């Protein structure tokens, strides 16, 4: 008979993928001066440059201890051309992501490239939406 492997006794520590990716994008010189976070910046009316990350879901692969996080990235600008430029800058740096804030990313995959989408919360917003899968290493915390 095969060997019985005990179930891990330590709790898992899932990384905050939104925060780690936002920190990485925010630190890139290509996006200098562009607010990046999990919410629009204070006073945002839809006409400023900004990048907003929202985790849509994903799945944990326990055999590999990997969190496959699906994240939407909304890129805003004062006009359609500027919003597209922000989206392209984000798109250009995401393949470089291997680690951020202690989170290791073995893989980053684009699921949907830049797509112009109206924003019902901000009628004047020029927004491009992209979706990515960020594979993040999950650690265990000693009990």
């Amino acid at each position: 008979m095969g060997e019985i492997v005990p179930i891990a006794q330590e709790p898992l520590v899932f990384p905050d993928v939104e925060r780690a990716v936002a920190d990485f994008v925010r630190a890139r010189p290509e996006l200098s001066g562009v607010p990046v976070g999990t919410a629009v910046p204070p006073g945002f009316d839809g006409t400023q440059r900004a990048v907003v990350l929202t985790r849509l879901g994903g799945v944990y692969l326990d055999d590999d201890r990997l969190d496959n996080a699906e994240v939407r990235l909304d890129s805003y600008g004062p006009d359609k051309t500027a919003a597209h430029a922000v989206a392209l800058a984000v798109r250009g740096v995401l393949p470089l992501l291997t680690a951020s804030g202690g989170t290791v990313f073995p893989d980053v995959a684009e699921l949907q490239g830049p797509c112009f989408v109206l924003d019902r919360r901000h009628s004047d917003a020029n927004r491009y939406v992209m979706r990515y899968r960020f594979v993040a290493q999950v650690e265990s915390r000693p009990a």
Side-chain angles (χ1 to χ4, degrees):
M1 295 230 176
E3 178 182 343
I4 297 176
V5 178
I7 296 174
Q9 298 300 310
E10 306 87 26
L12 297 175
V13 179
F14 285 88
D16 184 341
V17 172
E18 287 176 330
R19 182 193 48 77
V21 174
D23 289 348
F24 172 79
V25 172
R26 188 181 309 109
R28 295 296 306 186
E30 298 86 351
L31 288 134
S32 178
V34 176
V36 178
T38 58
V40 295
F44 183 79
D45 67 4
T47 63
Q48 303 96 326
R49 286 178 172 81
V51 176
V52 178
L53 292 87
T54 305
R55 182 169 178 152
L56 301 175
V59 63
Y60 170 62
L61 302 175
D62 59 347
D63 288 345
D64 298 321
R65 287 204 173 178
L66 296 174
D67 184 15
N68 283 260
E70 185 176 330
V71 177
R72 186 184 75 217
L73 292 98
D74 296 11
S75 299
Y76 293 91
D79 57 39
K80 189 174 180 182
T81 301
H84 192 236
V86 171
L88 294 178
V90 172
R91 192 181 197 196
V93 300
L94 287 180
L96 305 174
L97 175 61
T98 57
S100 176
T103 301
V104 175
F105 292 95
D107 189 40
V108 174
E110 183 177 83
L111 302 176
Q112 175 191 2
C115 176
F116 187 77
V117 179
L118 296 175
D119 186 336
R120 60 184 166 84
R121 296 166 295 173
H122 304 97
S123 61
D124 292 332
N126 290 284
R127 173 177 73 154
Y128 277 85
V129 173
M130 300 179 289
R131 287 186 311 119
Y132 276 80
R133 184 188 71 234
F134 297 98
V135 178
Q137 191 69 50
V138 176
E139 303 296 328
S140 58
R141 179 182 305 141

